Amino acid sequence: MAGKASKKQVQTNIKILNDLYKLSVPIVVLSLLRAFYSKSSGSTYVGTSTKWLLLNAPLLISIYVIELSGRPKVHRDPQTGSKKIIKEGLDLSQNDGLLQYLFDLIYLSLFGNIGKILFNTNKFYYVLFLCPVYLCFKLYGLKQQYFGSGSKKAASPVKEDTDNKDTKSKRQMKREKKGDNQVKYKYR
């Protein structure tokens, strides 16, 4: 049973990557075909392909990064046929962090590609501007968490003295009133 968790992670990573490719490859290919066959009369194939590549760069880069970091490396012994896990890859099923941001970027790019396929417009790619906005929102929250704001730090020492009186339990207040400040322990 040794390595059961890593074997399970390898299986889930392979399943997630396969599902990602099953979803993204047909949509990207159809979007590319739609871009080439519905180009305007004044544009060239080079201009159309450059525009398509620029709009799909976040998608392609995100898939590449997820593939590099999440694809497990398994070595198969040719004599015995047994498999040995060399690298299990990052856990792709986690719900936070950079990988989730990359998955969001992929899904938003696919949304833009579906808009290109169905309506032959690139305006659906504007939704990609939500990613940097969301990233700035998260970074601002992280900054506030670690550094805080200057006005709160100046007001907090005065508040701490009043909070200590309010947060004491009834038992603590009775002991202070009696003058019994020592905590007595009962040993067995």
Side-chain angles (χ1 to χ4, degrees):
M1 293 305 245
K4 186 176 180 182
S6 61
K7 288 178 186 176
K8 187 175 180 181
Q9 184 175 338
V10 165
Q11 289 174 348
T12 57
N13 281 0
I14 289 174
K15 183 184 179 306
I16 289 171
L17 287 170
N18 287 340
D19 290 345
L20 180 67
Y21 285 127
K22 286 178 187 175
L23 176 71
S24 62
V25 168
I27 293 173
V28 169
V29 169
L30 286 174
S31 172
L32 181 64
L33 290 174
R34 177 69 176 211
F36 279 137
Y37 288 121
S38 64
K39 69 179 183 68
S40 62
S41 61
S43 65
T44 63
Y45 285 112
V46 175
T48 304
S49 61
T50 305
K51 188 175 186 180
W52 181 87
L53 191 61
L54 285 175
L55 290 173
N56 284 302
L59 170 77
L60 299 174
I61 291 170
S62 298
I63 288 178
Y64 179 72
V65 169
I66 288 174
E67 175 71 31
L68 281 182
S69 60
R71 176 71 66 181
K73 292 190 172 121
V74 180
H75 175 69
R76 177 175 281 215
D77 190 11
Q79 295 173 349
T80 61
S82 64
K83 296 178 183 178
K84 182 180 178 185
I85 299 171
I86 296 172
K87 178 186 157 196
E88 59 194 37
L90 292 178
D91 186 15
L92 296 179
S93 62
Q94 65 183 357
N95 291 329
D96 56 350
L98 182 63
L99 286 176
Q100 186 63 36
Y101 180 75
L102 291 176
F103 275 112
D104 292 343
L105 195 61
I106 289 170
Y107 296 140
L108 290 175
S109 295
L110 289 176
F111 175 75
N113 282 329
I114 290 172
K116 177 69 175 175
I117 293 167
L118 296 178
F119 302 110
N120 196 22
T121 181
N122 290 329
K123 292 181 182 177
F124 285 92
Y125 287 107
Y126 290 146
V127 80
L128 287 175
F129 289 123
L130 292 176
C131 290
V133 170
Y134 179 70
L135 183 65
C136 290
F137 170 73
K138 290 299 253 183
L139 288 175
Y140 179 75
L142 191 65
K143 178 191 143 297
Q144 292 297 332
Q145 181 181 359
Y146 286 109
F147 299 117
S149 63
S151 62
K152 287 183 180 179
K153 287 185 178 180
S156 63
V158 175
K159 228 178 186 183
E160 285 179 11
D161 296 335
T162 59
D163 287 344
N164 286 342
K165 292 176 186 174
D166 294 336
T167 59
K168 290 184 182 178
S169 65
K170 288 182 181 180
R171 184 175 178 191
Q172 286 177 332
M173 291 171 48
K174 280 184 182 179
R175 284 189 174 200
E176 286 179 0
K177 191 175 181 181
K178 275 168 102 179
D180 187 16
N181 290 334
Q182 285 184 337
V183 179
K184 295 179 177 131
Y185 294 99
K186 184 177 180 182
Y187 295 104
R188 294 183 187 191

